[in-house]
CSV table of all heavy atoms in Angstrom, one decimal:
chain,number,residue,atom,x,y,z
A,1,LEU,N,-0.9,-23.3,21.3
A,1,LEU,CA,-2.2,-22.5,21.3
A,1,LEU,C,-1.9,-21.4,20.3
A,1,LEU,O,-2.8,-21.1,19.5
A,1,LEU,CB,-2.4,-21.9,22.7
A,1,LEU,CG,-3.7,-20.9,22.8
A,1,LEU,CD1,-4.9,-21.5,22.4
A,1,LEU,CD2,-3.6,-20.2,24.3
A,2,ARG,N,-0.9,-20.6,20.3
A,2,ARG,CA,-0.6,-19.7,19.3
A,2,ARG,C,-0.6,-20.0,17.9
A,2,ARG,O,-1.2,-19.6,17.0
A,2,ARG,CB,0.7,-18.9,19.7
A,2,ARG,CG,0.8,-18.2,20.9
A,2,ARG,CD,2.0,-17.3,21.0
A,2,ARG,NE,2.2,-16.5,22.2
A,2,ARG,CZ,3.0,-15.5,22.3
A,2,ARG,NH1,3.7,-15.1,21.4
A,2,ARG,NH2,3.1,-14.8,23.6
A,3,ARG,N,0.0,-21.1,17.7
A,3,ARG,CA,0.1,-21.8,16.3
A,3,ARG,C,-1.4,-22.1,15.9
A,3,ARG,O,-1.7,-22.0,14.8
A,3,ARG,CB,1.1,-23.0,16.3
A,3,ARG,CG,1.2,-23.5,14.9
A,3,ARG,CD,2.2,-24.7,14.8
A,3,ARG,NE,3.6,-24.3,15.3
A,3,ARG,CZ,4.5,-25.1,15.5
A,3,ARG,NH1,4.4,-26.4,15.2
A,3,ARG,NH2,5.7,-24.7,15.8
A,4,GLY,N,-2.0,-22.8,16.9
A,4,GLY,CA,-3.4,-23.3,16.6
A,4,GLY,C,-4.3,-22.1,16.2
A,4,GLY,O,-5.0,-22.2,15.3
A,5,LEU,N,-4.2,-21.0,16.9
A,5,LEU,CA,-5.1,-19.9,16.8
A,5,LEU,C,-4.8,-19.3,15.3
A,5,LEU,O,-5.7,-19.0,14.5
A,5,LEU,CB,-4.8,-18.8,17.7
A,5,LEU,CG,-5.3,-19.1,19.1
A,5,LEU,CD1,-4.9,-18.1,20.1
A,5,LEU,CD2,-6.9,-19.1,19.2
A,6,ALA,N,-3.5,-19.4,14.8
A,6,ALA,CA,-3.3,-18.8,13.5
A,6,ALA,C,-3.8,-19.8,12.5
A,6,ALA,O,-4.4,-19.2,11.5
A,6,ALA,CB,-1.7,-18.6,13.4
A,7,VAL,N,-3.4,-21.1,12.6
A,7,VAL,CA,-3.8,-21.9,11.7
A,7,VAL,C,-5.4,-22.1,11.5
A,7,VAL,O,-6.0,-22.1,10.4
A,7,VAL,CB,-3.4,-23.4,12.0
A,7,VAL,CG1,-4.0,-24.5,11.0
A,7,VAL,CG2,-1.8,-23.3,11.8
A,8,GLN,N,-6.0,-22.0,12.8
A,8,GLN,CA,-7.5,-22.1,12.7
A,8,GLN,C,-8.1,-20.9,12.1
A,8,GLN,O,-9.1,-21.0,11.2
A,8,GLN,CB,-8.0,-22.1,14.2
A,8,GLN,CG,-9.5,-22.0,14.3
A,8,GLN,CD,-9.9,-21.8,15.8
A,8,GLN,OE1,-9.2,-21.2,16.5
A,8,GLN,NE2,-11.2,-22.2,16.2
A,9,LEU,N,-7.7,-19.6,12.2
A,9,LEU,CA,-8.2,-18.5,11.6
A,9,LEU,C,-8.1,-18.6,10.2
A,9,LEU,O,-9.0,-18.3,9.3
A,9,LEU,CB,-7.6,-17.3,12.2
A,9,LEU,CG,-8.1,-15.9,11.6
A,9,LEU,CD1,-9.6,-15.8,11.8
A,9,LEU,CD2,-7.2,-14.7,12.3
A,10,VAL,N,-6.9,-18.9,9.7
A,10,VAL,CA,-6.6,-19.0,8.2
A,10,VAL,C,-7.6,-20.1,7.6
A,10,VAL,O,-8.2,-20.0,6.6
A,10,VAL,CB,-5.2,-19.3,7.9
A,10,VAL,CG1,-5.0,-19.5,6.4
A,10,VAL,CG2,-4.3,-18.1,8.3
A,11,GLY,N,-7.6,-21.3,8.2
A,11,GLY,CA,-8.3,-22.4,7.8
A,11,GLY,C,-9.8,-22.1,7.7
A,11,GLY,O,-10.7,-22.4,6.8
A,12,THR,N,-10.4,-21.4,8.8
A,12,THR,CA,-11.8,-21.0,8.8
A,12,THR,C,-12.2,-20.1,7.7
A,12,THR,O,-13.2,-20.3,7.0
A,12,THR,CB,-12.2,-20.4,10.2
A,12,THR,OG1,-11.9,-21.4,11.1
A,12,THR,CG2,-13.6,-20.1,10.3
A,13,LEU,N,-11.4,-19.1,7.5
A,13,LEU,CA,-11.6,-18.1,6.4
A,13,LEU,C,-11.5,-18.8,5.0
A,13,LEU,O,-12.3,-18.5,4.3
A,13,LEU,CB,-10.7,-16.9,6.6
A,13,LEU,CG,-10.8,-16.0,7.8
A,13,LEU,CD1,-9.7,-15.0,7.8
A,13,LEU,CD2,-12.1,-15.3,7.8
A,14,THR,N,-10.5,-19.6,4.9
A,14,THR,CA,-10.3,-20.4,3.6
A,14,THR,C,-11.6,-21.2,3.4
A,14,THR,O,-12.2,-21.2,2.3
A,14,THR,CB,-9.2,-21.2,3.7
A,14,THR,OG1,-8.0,-20.4,3.8
A,14,THR,CG2,-9.0,-22.0,2.3
A,15,ALA,N,-12.0,-21.9,4.4
A,15,ALA,CA,-13.2,-22.8,4.2
A,15,ALA,C,-14.6,-22.0,3.9
A,15,ALA,O,-15.4,-22.5,3.0
A,15,ALA,CB,-13.5,-23.6,5.4
A,16,LEU,N,-14.7,-20.9,4.5
A,16,LEU,CA,-15.8,-20.0,4.3
A,16,LEU,C,-15.7,-19.4,2.8
A,16,LEU,O,-16.9,-19.4,2.1
A,16,LEU,CB,-16.1,-19.0,5.3
A,16,LEU,CG,-16.5,-19.5,6.7
A,16,LEU,CD1,-16.4,-18.3,7.8
A,16,LEU,CD2,-17.7,-20.3,6.7
A,17,VAL,N,-14.7,-19.1,2.4
A,17,VAL,CA,-14.5,-18.4,1.1
A,17,VAL,C,-14.8,-19.5,0.1
A,17,VAL,O,-15.5,-19.2,-0.9
A,17,VAL,CB,-13.1,-17.8,0.9
A,17,VAL,CG1,-12.8,-17.5,-0.6
A,17,VAL,CG2,-12.8,-16.6,1.7
A,18,VAL,N,-14.3,-20.7,0.3
A,18,VAL,CA,-14.5,-21.8,-0.7
A,18,VAL,C,-16.0,-22.1,-0.7
A,18,VAL,O,-16.6,-22.3,-1.8
A,18,VAL,CB,-13.8,-23.0,-0.3
A,18,VAL,CG1,-14.3,-24.4,-1.1
A,18,VAL,CG2,-12.2,-22.9,-0.4
A,19,MET,N,-16.7,-22.1,0.5
A,19,MET,CA,-18.3,-22.3,0.5
A,19,MET,C,-18.9,-21.2,-0.3
A,19,MET,O,-19.8,-21.6,-1.2
A,19,MET,CB,-18.7,-22.3,1.8
A,19,MET,CG,-18.3,-23.5,2.7
A,19,MET,SD,-19.1,-23.3,4.4
A,19,MET,CE,-18.3,-24.6,5.2
A,20,PHE,N,-18.6,-20.0,-0.2
A,20,PHE,CA,-19.1,-18.9,-0.8
A,20,PHE,C,-18.9,-19.1,-2.4
A,20,PHE,O,-19.8,-18.9,-3.1
A,20,PHE,CB,-18.6,-17.6,-0.5
A,20,PHE,CG,-19.5,-17.0,0.7
A,20,PHE,CD1,-19.5,-17.4,1.9
A,20,PHE,CD2,-20.1,-15.7,0.2
A,20,PHE,CE1,-20.3,-16.7,2.9
A,20,PHE,CE2,-21.0,-15.1,1.3
A,20,PHE,CZ,-21.0,-15.6,2.6
A,21,ALA,N,-17.7,-19.6,-2.8
A,21,ALA,CA,-17.4,-19.6,-4.2
A,21,ALA,C,-18.2,-20.8,-4.7
A,21,ALA,O,-18.7,-20.7,-5.9
A,21,ALA,CB,-15.9,-20.0,-4.3
A,22,VAL,N,-18.4,-21.9,-4.0
A,22,VAL,CA,-19.2,-23.0,-4.5
A,22,VAL,C,-20.6,-22.6,-4.7
A,22,VAL,O,-21.3,-23.0,-5.7
A,22,VAL,CB,-19.0,-24.2,-3.6
A,22,VAL,CG1,-19.9,-25.3,-3.9
A,22,VAL,CG2,-17.5,-24.7,-3.8
A,23,ILE,N,-21.1,-22.0,-3.6
A,23,ILE,CA,-22.5,-21.6,-3.7
A,23,ILE,C,-22.7,-20.6,-4.9
A,23,ILE,O,-23.8,-20.7,-5.7
A,23,ILE,CB,-23.0,-20.9,-2.4
A,23,ILE,CG1,-22.9,-21.9,-1.3
A,23,ILE,CG2,-24.4,-20.2,-2.6
A,23,ILE,CD1,-23.1,-21.3,0.1
A,24,GLN,N,-21.8,-19.7,-5.1
A,24,GLN,CA,-22.0,-18.7,-6.2
A,24,GLN,C,-21.9,-19.5,-7.5
A,24,GLN,O,-22.7,-19.2,-8.5
A,24,GLN,CB,-20.9,-17.6,-6.1
A,24,GLN,CG,-21.1,-16.5,-7.2
A,24,GLN,CD,-22.3,-15.8,-7.0
A,24,GLN,OE1,-22.5,-15.0,-6.2
A,24,GLN,NE2,-23.4,-16.1,-7.9
A,25,TYR,N,-21.0,-20.5,-7.7
A,25,TYR,CA,-21.1,-21.2,-8.8
A,25,TYR,C,-22.3,-22.0,-9.1
A,25,TYR,O,-22.8,-22.0,-10.3
A,25,TYR,CB,-19.7,-22.2,-8.8
A,25,TYR,CG,-19.7,-23.2,-10.0
A,25,TYR,CD1,-19.6,-22.7,-11.2
A,25,TYR,CD2,-20.0,-24.5,-9.9
A,25,TYR,CE1,-19.4,-23.5,-12.4
A,25,TYR,CE2,-19.9,-25.4,-10.9
A,25,TYR,CZ,-19.7,-24.9,-12.2
A,25,TYR,OH,-19.7,-25.7,-13.2
A,26,ARG,N,-22.8,-22.6,-8.0
A,26,ARG,CA,-24.2,-23.3,-8.2
A,26,ARG,C,-25.2,-22.4,-8.7
A,26,ARG,O,-26.2,-22.8,-9.5
A,26,ARG,CB,-24.4,-24.0,-6.9
A,26,ARG,CG,-23.6,-25.2,-6.7
A,26,ARG,CD,-23.3,-26.2,-7.8
A,26,ARG,NE,-22.7,-27.3,-7.2
A,26,ARG,CZ,-22.4,-28.4,-8.1
A,26,ARG,NH1,-22.5,-28.3,-9.3
A,26,ARG,NH2,-21.7,-29.5,-7.5
A,27,LEU,N,-25.3,-21.1,-8.0
A,27,LEU,CA,-26.3,-20.1,-8.5
A,27,LEU,C,-26.1,-19.8,-9.9
A,27,LEU,O,-27.0,-19.6,-10.7
A,27,LEU,CB,-26.1,-19.0,-7.6
A,27,LEU,CG,-26.6,-19.1,-6.2
A,27,LEU,CD1,-26.3,-17.9,-5.4
A,27,LEU,CD2,-28.1,-19.4,-6.1
A,28,TYR,N,-24.8,-19.6,-10.3
A,28,TYR,CA,-24.5,-19.4,-11.8
A,28,TYR,C,-25.0,-20.5,-12.7
A,28,TYR,O,-25.8,-20.4,-13.7
A,28,TYR,CB,-23.1,-19.2,-12.0
A,28,TYR,CG,-22.7,-19.2,-13.5
A,28,TYR,CD1,-22.7,-18.0,-14.3
A,28,TYR,CD2,-22.4,-20.3,-14.2
A,28,TYR,CE1,-22.4,-18.0,-15.5
A,28,TYR,CE2,-21.8,-20.5,-15.4
A,28,TYR,CZ,-22.0,-19.2,-16.2
A,28,TYR,OH,-21.7,-19.3,-17.6
A,29,GLN,N,-24.8,-21.7,-12.3
A,29,GLN,CA,-25.4,-22.9,-12.9
A,29,GLN,C,-26.8,-23.0,-13.2
A,29,GLN,O,-27.4,-23.1,-14.2
A,29,GLN,CB,-24.9,-24.2,-12.4
A,29,GLN,CG,-23.5,-24.7,-12.5
A,29,GLN,CD,-23.2,-26.1,-12.0
A,29,GLN,OE1,-23.4,-26.2,-10.9
A,29,GLN,NE2,-22.7,-27.0,-13.0
A,30,ALA,N,-27.4,-22.8,-12.0
A,30,ALA,CA,-29.0,-22.8,-12.0
A,30,ALA,C,-29.6,-21.6,-12.8
A,30,ALA,O,-30.5,-21.9,-13.6
A,30,ALA,CB,-29.5,-22.6,-10.5
A,31,GLY,N,-28.9,-20.5,-12.9
A,31,GLY,CA,-29.4,-19.3,-13.5
A,31,GLY,C,-29.1,-19.5,-15.0
A,31,GLY,O,-29.7,-18.7,-15.9
A,32,HIS,N,-28.3,-20.4,-15.4
A,32,HIS,CA,-28.1,-20.7,-16.8
A,32,HIS,C,-28.4,-22.0,-17.3
A,32,HIS,O,-27.9,-22.4,-18.4
A,32,HIS,CB,-26.4,-20.4,-17.2
A,32,HIS,CG,-26.1,-18.9,-17.0
A,32,HIS,ND1,-25.9,-18.2,-15.8
A,32,HIS,CD2,-25.8,-18.0,-17.9
A,32,HIS,CE1,-25.5,-17.0,-16.1
A,32,HIS,NE2,-25.4,-16.8,-17.3
A,33,ALA,N,-29.2,-22.7,-16.5
A,33,ALA,CA,-29.8,-23.8,-17.0
A,33,ALA,C,-31.3,-23.8,-17.0
A,33,ALA,O,-32.0,-24.7,-16.5
A,33,ALA,CB,-29.3,-25.0,-16.0
A,34,LEU,N,-31.9,-22.6,-17.5
A,34,LEU,CA,-33.3,-22.4,-17.5
A,34,LEU,C,-34.0,-23.4,-18.4
A,34,LEU,O,-33.4,-23.8,-19.4
A,34,LEU,CB,-33.6,-21.0,-17.9
A,34,LEU,CG,-32.9,-19.9,-17.1
A,34,LEU,CD1,-33.3,-18.5,-17.6
A,34,LEU,CD2,-33.4,-20.0,-15.6
A,35,ASP,N,-35.2,-23.9,-18.0
A,35,ASP,CA,-35.9,-24.8,-18.7
A,35,ASP,C,-36.4,-24.3,-20.0
A,35,ASP,O,-37.1,-23.2,-20.0
A,35,ASP,CB,-37.0,-25.3,-17.9
A,35,ASP,CG,-37.8,-26.5,-18.5
A,35,ASP,OD1,-37.5,-26.9,-19.7
A,35,ASP,OD2,-38.7,-27.1,-17.8
A,36,PRO,N,-36.0,-24.7,-21.2
A,36,PRO,CA,-36.4,-24.2,-22.4
A,36,PRO,C,-37.9,-24.3,-22.7
A,36,PRO,O,-38.4,-23.7,-23.5
A,36,PRO,CB,-35.7,-24.9,-23.5
A,36,PRO,CG,-35.2,-26.1,-22.8
A,36,PRO,CD,-35.1,-25.9,-21.4
A,37,GLU,N,-38.5,-25.2,-21.9
A,37,GLU,CA,-40.0,-25.5,-22.0
A,37,GLU,C,-40.7,-24.6,-21.1
A,37,GLU,O,-42.0,-24.9,-20.9
A,37,GLU,CB,-40.3,-27.0,-21.8
A,37,GLU,CG,-39.6,-27.9,-22.8
A,37,GLU,CD,-39.9,-27.6,-24.3
A,37,GLU,OE1,-41.1,-27.2,-24.6
A,37,GLU,OE2,-39.0,-27.6,-25.2
């Protein structure tokens, strides 16, 4: 239980940080791929 709580907390925070990073990257892509027409 103790080991699981530690691994879970680190894993959850890591997953959420990765999600935020991916979303921010996609927002960067969208904002720099404006339709020239």
Side-chain angles (χ1 to χ4, degrees):
L1 175 59
R2 291 192 183 198
R3 181 180 300 176
L5 288 170
V7 171
Q8 176 192 24
L9 181 57
V10 172
T12 299
L13 291 175
T14 301
L16 292 175
V17 168
V18 170
M19 287 183 194
F20 265 68
V22 170
I23 294 171
Q24 185 63 77
Y25 174 67
R26 293 305 192 188
L27 289 170
Y28 169 85
Q29 280 188 307
H32 287 80
L34 302 180
D35 188 349
E37 301 301 321

